[in-house]
């Protein structure tokens, strides 16, 4: 009988070698496979007894490996897409929309990318510890607005962050912000005899490229701090020259706020600042100069340099956590303080 020396006879050869057994007959030769044809069975080693892969085995293994790699790639892509969308849904506080009063915190935030959640969760620490769920009804045109009043006290620092959604809709948390509420002693504006000439509490000027932020600052002071004010982009009277409007605004406003940013350049804004500075600080006796000096408040929207004529005045920075408290307090300030101190640098919005 022809001997087929493949993997099916490996056990026999291994057993024979282990026990030093021999076949009862001699000169047994292999007929197949072809590479072993004619070789003596007893001279072969067990490792030579193997079976070739069937013709379909290698393609099948290649297909299996390809499918495995493809599945791995799909899993990684799904994970990365979900992770990226998760990070995109990180809430970001609106720089000019987070406003503390004496008894409330008005918060604004949005999502730069990704879908908005059905709910957000506001976490407050500091004077109180609160966790509040905000439904999507508080989102209008992509901006979430929420006011907290319960437990909020005056002249207190609060740390706030917002997390995205809850349960299966949960997302990352915002960077925290710090806000200091306004002192109640600063909320009332005294109507003294020498204030009778003022028809409004404040007037804001700034570069036209900042008019959206100027308008928001104006509305915040009016709506949340019960002050009356105006801006050149909203309240200049028609029929009057811009020069007459500017002089009238200066003379009839108790405080003039000069908004500064990297956009503060150009002849017109430079003329306005110099005119206001001259009108409010370039007058005769020292008492009147101090009185007029505290009527001029520079406010920086960005970390920019101040015009030379304003260098001695205290500047309020919107990223400072004390910004709103100090701005409202300025309506009662009795002295003009030179800017020789190091500003508080805790960020309003990161």
């Amino acid at each position: 009988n022809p001997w087929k020396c493949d993997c099916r006879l490996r056990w026999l050869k291994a057993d024979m070698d282990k026990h030093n057994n021999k076949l009862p007959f001699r000169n047994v030769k292999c007929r197949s496979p072809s590479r072993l044809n004619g070789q003596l069975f007893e001279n072969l080693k067990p490792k030579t007894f193997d079976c070739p892969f069937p013709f379909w085995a290698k393609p099948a293994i290649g297909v299996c490996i390809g499918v495995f790699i493809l599945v791995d790639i799909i899993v990684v892509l799904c994970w990365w897409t979900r992770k990226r969308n998760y990070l995109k849904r990180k809430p970001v506080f609106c720089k000019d929309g987070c406003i503390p009063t004496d008894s409330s915190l008005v918060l604004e935030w949005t999502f730069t990318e990704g879908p908005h959640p059905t709910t957000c969760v506001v976490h407050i620490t500091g004077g109180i510890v609160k966790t509040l769920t905000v439904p999507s009804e508080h989102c209008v045109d992509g901006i979430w607005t929420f006011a907290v009043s319960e437990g909020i006290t005056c002249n207190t620092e609060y740390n706030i962050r917002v997390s995205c959604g809850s349960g299966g809709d949960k997302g990352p948390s915002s960077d925290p912000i710090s806000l200091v509420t306004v002192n109640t002693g600063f909320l009332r504006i005294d109507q003294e005899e020498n204030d009778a000439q003022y028809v409004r509490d404040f007037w804001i000027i700034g570069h036209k490229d900042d008019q959206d932020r100027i308008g928001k600052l104006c509305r915040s002071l009016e709506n949340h701090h019960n002050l009356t004010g105006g801006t050149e982009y909203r309240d200049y009277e028609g029929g009057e020259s811009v020069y007459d409007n500017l002089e009238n605004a200066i003379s009839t406003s108790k405080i003039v706020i000069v908004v500064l940013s990297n956009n503060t350049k150009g002849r017109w804004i430079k003329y306005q600042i110099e005119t206001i500075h001259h009108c409010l600080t370039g007058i005769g006796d020292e008492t009147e100069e101090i009185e007029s000096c505290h009527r001029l408040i520079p406010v920086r929207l960005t970390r920019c340099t101040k015009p030379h004529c304003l260098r001695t005045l205290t500047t309020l920075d919107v990223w400072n956590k004390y910004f709103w408290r100090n701005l409202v307090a300025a309506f009662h300030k009795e002295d003009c303080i030179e800017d020789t101190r190091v500003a508080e640098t805790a960020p309003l919005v990161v």
Side-chain angles (χ1 to χ4, degrees):
N1 294 327
W3 282 63
K4 190 173 183 179
C5 301
D6 59 11
C7 58
R8 285 168 289 190
L9 286 181
R10 183 185 299 153
W11 68 271
L12 176 60
K13 181 60 177 171
D15 186 71
M16 290 173 59
D17 290 350
K18 181 178 181 181
H19 299 287
N20 199 23
N21 293 332
K22 294 186 177 180
L23 291 173
F25 34 85
R26 299 185 175 195
N27 299 326
V28 176
K29 296 182 178 180
C30 297
R31 178 70 60 86
S32 63
S34 58
R35 63 186 178 80
L36 300 179
N37 184 26
Q39 295 191 38
L40 292 175
F41 183 89
E42 61 184 13
N43 293 337
L44 298 177
K45 295 181 179 180
K47 65 180 181 181
T48 60
F49 290 77
D50 56 8
C51 294
F53 283 112
F55 72 93
W56 49 265
K58 289 184 178 180
I61 292 174
V63 170
C64 291
I65 293 175
V67 170
F68 179 78
I69 293 174
L70 181 61
V71 170
D72 281 351
I73 292 174
I74 292 174
V75 170
V76 170
L77 287 176
C78 290
W79 173 84
W80 173 247
T81 301
R82 184 174 180 181
K83 182 72 173 178
R84 185 179 62 179
N85 291 335
Y86 177 87
L87 294 176
K88 282 182 177 180
R89 296 182 70 197
K90 181 178 179 178
V92 178
F93 283 107
C94 300
K95 289 185 177 181
D96 305 316
C98 298
I99 306 164
T101 68
D102 67 318
S103 58
S104 67
L105 299 172
V106 180
L107 306 174
E108 276 190 12
W109 66 92
T110 187
F111 296 85
T112 54
E113 295 185 72
H116 284 241
T118 55
T119 60
C120 287
V121 180
V122 176
H123 309 270
I124 303 175
T125 58
I128 57 172
V129 177
K130 273 182 175 292
T131 300
L132 304 169
T133 301
V134 183
S136 58
E137 288 77 8
H138 289 265
C139 178
V140 178
D141 297 329
I143 302 295
W144 293 69
T145 305
F146 187 65
V148 183
S149 57
E150 184 178 355
I152 303 300
T153 57
C154 67
N155 202 27
T156 305
E157 180 178 345
Y158 296 93
N159 300 306
I160 309 109
R161 63 181 177 88
V162 175
S163 58
C164 171
S166 58
D169 195 33
K170 192 173 182 179
S173 295
S174 68
D175 294 328
I177 63 170
S178 296
L179 297 174
V180 177
T181 50
V182 173
N183 194 328
T184 51
F186 298 144
L187 294 179
R188 181 179 57 85
I189 294 188
D190 294 334
Q191 295 296 325
E192 301 174 359
E193 293 182 3
N194 59 354
D195 288 344
Q197 59 178 315
Y198 304 130
V199 298
R200 64 179 67 87
D201 298 314
F202 66 90
W203 184 267
I204 307 177
I205 71 149
H207 195 274
K208 63 181 180 179
D209 291 345
D210 295 320
Q211 60 179 301
D212 289 340
R213 297 186 69 180
I214 290 172
K216 195 162 189 177
L217 175 61
C218 180
R219 291 190 298 272
S220 297
L221 287 169
E222 291 176 333
N223 298 336
H224 300 297
H225 295 287
N226 300 318
L227 301 173
T228 57
T231 72
E232 63 174 310
Y233 307 106
R234 188 190 71 177
D235 301 296
Y236 265 178
E237 297 179 5
E240 298 286 340
S241 70
V242 291
Y243 304 101
D244 291 338
N245 268 311
L246 178 60
E247 292 182 3
N248 180 63
I250 296 171
S251 62
T252 58
S253 301
K254 183 173 184 179
I255 285 179
V256 178
I257 299 173
V258 178
V259 172
L260 306 173
S261 73
N262 293 327
N263 297 321
T264 309
K265 55 188 70 173
R267 292 183 178 181
W268 172 237
I269 187 63
K270 182 178 179 182
Y271 170 80
Q272 287 180 293
I273 293 174
E274 290 178 348
T275 299
I276 292 171
H277 181 265
H278 175 75
C279 292
L280 296 185
T281 64
I283 45 185
D285 78 35
E286 184 178 346
T287 303
E288 289 183 350
E289 185 172 345
I290 292 176
E291 170 67 22
S292 298
C293 184
H294 84 261
R295 290 180 56 203
L296 176 57
I297 303 176
V299 168
R300 290 195 300 181
L301 302 180
T302 60
R303 296 182 186 275
C304 58
T305 57
K306 291 192 294 184
H308 181 75
C309 62
L310 304 180
R311 70 189 185 283
T312 61
L313 299 180
T314 300
T315 302
L316 304 183
D317 301 325
V318 296
W319 60 86
N320 189 298
K321 62 183 176 182
Y322 299 102
F323 169 73
W324 284 102
R325 189 186 72 173
N326 292 342
L327 179 60
V328 175
F331 288 88
H332 269 269
K333 193 174 292 184
E334 296 180 356
D335 296 312
C336 181
I337 302 174
E338 291 189 355
D339 191 11
T340 57
R341 302 168 299 161
V342 177
E344 306 274 3
T345 56
L348 174 64
V349 177
V350 178

